[in-house]
Amino acid sequence: MQGTDSSRTASHDRRTVTSWLLGTGVAASLASFFYPVARFLNPPQVAEAAVNEVDAGKVQDLKPNSGKIVKFGNKPALLVRVNDTEWKAFSAVCTHLNCTVQYQDARREIWCACHNGTYDLNGRVISGPPPKPLEELAVKFRGDEVVISRRA
Amino acid sequence: MGNNLSSTEFKAKTLDWLDERTGWRMVRDLMDHKVVPIHAGTKWYYFGGITLFLFGVQIFTGVLLLLYYRPTVAEAFDSVRFLMTRVEFGWLIRSIHSWSANLLILSAFIHMFSVVFTHAYRRPRELTWLSGIVLLGLLLGFGFSGYLLPWNQISYFATKVGTDVAGTMPVAGPTLSRFLRGGEDVGGATLTRFFDFHVIILPLIAFGLVGLHVLLVQKHGMSTPSDIPPEKVAQMKFFPNFFLRELVVWYGVLAVLGTLAAIFPWELGEKADPFASAPAGIRPEWYFLAQFYTLKLIPSHVWILEGELLGLFGFGALAAGWVLLPFWAAGRHKLASGVGVFLICYLAAFTFLGYVK
C-alpha cells in the first residue's frame, strides 16, 4: 500500500513540475511576443527642427494695431504691431490648453477663443483660465524685414 | 444565514443566467461534439488551421503597421523607412507581415491541393470548395495590393505590369485597368486605391467568407477519405485533443515565421521613381511568377489574337475549370487527382523557370 501511495505522489509531482515548466515556458514566450509589440506602439522621438529665428514678413505689410500668426518652427507665433514703432511677439500657444491665441484690436488684448482667456500686450494673464503668461519672443528688424527670435 | 448561496450554487446560477440570455451552452455543446477523423491523411487537416492562424497574424501585424504607414506618394516610402529604422521592432513587425503573407499563400495552396487529392470537395462540400477558391483569389489580391504600398521601385513596376495585363482583357480590360489604377497610369491615385483594397475592401469580404467557410466545415464535419467507409474511421475529439495539437503546430509555424523574419528581414529597396527606367530583373512575387513566365513565352501574335489575350483566355479557362472542379469531378476522382498533379507540375516548373530566366 505504501508503495502505491509513494508512486502516486511521485507521478503527481512529475505532473506538477511538467505543468509548471509548460506554463512558465508558454508565459515567457508570450511575453517575448508582446514585448516587441509594446515597444512598437511607443512612437519614437522625432527631432523638431530647432528654430531660433524666423522671418515674419515686411514692416509695411502689418498695419498698426493689428497682429498676425506666423510659423515659428512647427509652432505658431503671434506678431503684434502695437503702433507705428512698437512691436511685440509671443508664442501663440495658449498656456491653458494649447489653443492658438489671436490679437483683438478693439480691446488691444490677446484673446484665446477656446476658453475665453485674455492676455495683455506683455503676455500677462488678464482674465480667464490660463495659468501662466505667454512666452514672449524678441522682435528685430533687418532692413524692412521683421525678424522674430527666441529671447536669450 | 441559511439563505446564503454556496459558491457552487452561485456559479451554476450565474451560468444559467448567462445561458438564458446568450445561449452560450449551444456553442459549448457544438464544441463538445466536434470530432476529427483519424487516418493516414489527418495531417492535412492542419493546413486549414495554419492558414487561418497566419491570416490572424496578418490582421494583427497589419493593424500595427497602420499606426505608422501613410498612404501617399510623398510619404509612403519614407513612412515605411521611418517605421523600419526608427520605430523599435518596426523592422520585425514589417518583416513578419511580409513573410507571413508568403507563408499564408503557400499554406493556402497546400490546403487546396490536399482537398483535391483527398477528394474532400465531393458532395455536399461543393460550396466549401467554392468559398475556399474565392478566398485564395482574395489572398492573391491582398498580396498584389499590399505589394505596392511601400511605394518602392520594384513594387511600382510590378504594379504597372500587373494592371497593364488586366488592361489587355477583351471588352472589360481598359475599364478594369482604369478602375484598378484610378486613372490612366499608376500613380498617387493607384496608391490610394490599393490602400483601400488592402485594408478595407478585401478584409471586409474576407472576414465574411472565412466565416462562411469555417461555418460550412462545422456543418459538414471533416471530410474522410473516399476509400474508407465513414463509420469505420476512428475519431478524436476536437476540443481539447485536436485543438491542443493544432496549437502546438501554430507555435511551430510562429517559430518558423519569427526565424525567417529575423534572419532574412524583408528589404525596402529604393523609392519609386516614375521617370526612372524599370530596373533589370523585375519580376512579380513568386505566386504570380508562373503566370508571368507563361505570358512571356506566348508569342506576341498567334493567328489573329494578341499574345496576352490568348494567355488570359488560357488562364481564364483553367481558372473556371478549377473553380468548377467539384461538379465535373463527381465520380471521376482519378481525373481530378491527375489534373491536380498536372497543375502542381506546371506551377512548380514555370515558377522555377520564371526565377532562373
Side-chain angles (χ1 to χ4, degrees), chain A residues 25-26 29-30 33-37 39-47, chain B residues 60 64-65 67-68 82-83 86-94 251 254:
Chain A
V26 168
S29 66
L30 286 180
F33 303 152
F34 287 101
Y35 174 74
V37 172
R39 305 294 303 187
F40 180 85
L41 296 176
N42 174 40
Q45 290 283 331
V46 178
Chain B
F60 185 74
L64 287 178
L65 292 174
L67 290 175
Y68 295 100
F82 174 81
L83 165 110
R86 299 286 312 281
V87 180
E88 285 181 273
F89 296 103
W91 63 275
L92 182 65
I93 305 280
R94 171 166 184 258
Y251 239 75
L254 196 59

Side-chain angles (χ1 to χ4, degrees), chain A:
Chain A
M1 277 298 151
Q2 210 181 353
T4 331
D5 266 3
S6 69
S7 74
R8 185 177 299 152
T9 322
S11 90
H12 182 74
D13 282 351
R14 269 200 296 278
R15 174 164 289 215
T16 313
V17 171
T18 315
S19 303
W20 187 83
L21 283 176
L22 189 65
T24 47
V26 168
S29 66
L30 286 180
S32 78
F33 303 152
F34 287 101
Y35 174 74
V37 172
R39 305 294 303 187
F40 180 85
L41 296 176
N42 174 40
Q45 290 283 331
V46 178
E48 283 178 28
V51 172
N52 286 313
E53 199 176 272
V54 294
D55 193 329
K58 294 200 190 310
V59 170
Q60 59 269 29
D61 289 346
L62 196 62
K63 287 193 283 287
N65 192 26
S66 67
K68 71 169 177 178
I69 298 287
V70 294
K71 248 183 90 147
F72 193 79
N74 53 7
K75 296 252 162 64
L78 176 67
L79 176 67
V80 179
R81 184 172 188 179
V82 184
N83 52 44
D84 276 342
T85 53
E86 198 186 349
W87 295 70
K88 289 276 189 180
F90 303 93
S91 154
V93 180
C94 180
T95 56
H96 177 220
L97 290 171
N98 281 318
C99 285
T100 301
V101 296
Q102 55 186 282
Y103 181 66
Q104 293 247 297
D105 53 357
R107 300 163 63 180
R108 294 182 165 261
E109 282 170 3
I110 297 166
W111 177 59
C112 180
C114 292
H115 303 96
N116 214 18
T118 50
Y119 303 85
D120 67 14
L121 287 175
N122 290 310
R124 287 185 299 248
V125 180
I126 301 173
S127 67
K132 283 188 300 190
L134 290 173
E135 184 199 346
E136 190 164 357
L137 305 169
V139 182
K140 291 183 292 191
F141 300 93
R142 203 172 283 147
D144 61 349
E145 294 285 336
V146 187
V147 175
I148 299 177
S149 60
R150 248 180 239 293
R151 297 186 139 194

Side-chain angles (χ1 to χ4, degrees), chain B residues 34-46 125 220-225 228-238 242:
Chain B
K34 187 171 164 58
V35 289
V36 177
I38 308 171
H39 51 85
T42 297
K43 53 185 173 294
W44 299 112
Y45 292 144
Y46 288 105
R125 296 187 176 79
H220 296 303
M222 308 292 218
S223 153
T224 46
I228 325 173
E231 60 279 4
K232 290 221 173 137
V233 180
Q235 289 177 331
M236 180 198 293
K237 286 190 70 164
F238 187 84
F242 188 81

Side-chain angles (χ1 to χ4, degrees), chain B residues 47-59 97-112 130-148 194 197-199 201-207 209-210 213 285-288 291:
Chain B
F47 282 91
I50 292 174
T51 311
L52 185 65
F53 171 68
L54 290 172
F55 187 66
V57 169
Q58 289 307 84
I59 296 167
H97 193 73
S98 303
W99 272 107
S100 175
N102 284 275
L103 295 184
L104 172 57
I105 286 177
L106 181 66
S107 145
F109 268 109
I110 296 174
H111 181 49
M112 177 181 78
L130 277 180
S131 58
I133 293 293
V134 177
L135 275 169
L136 182 66
L138 288 181
L139 289 183
L140 296 178
F142 271 114
F144 187 61
S145 57
Y147 199 54
L148 179 70
F194 275 38
F197 295 148
H198 194 74
V199 307
I201 299 173
L202 291 173
L204 279 180
I205 304 172
F207 286 156
L209 271 177
V210 167
H213 193 71
E285 293 268 72
W286 61 270
Y287 40 85
F288 293 122
Q291 297 93 306

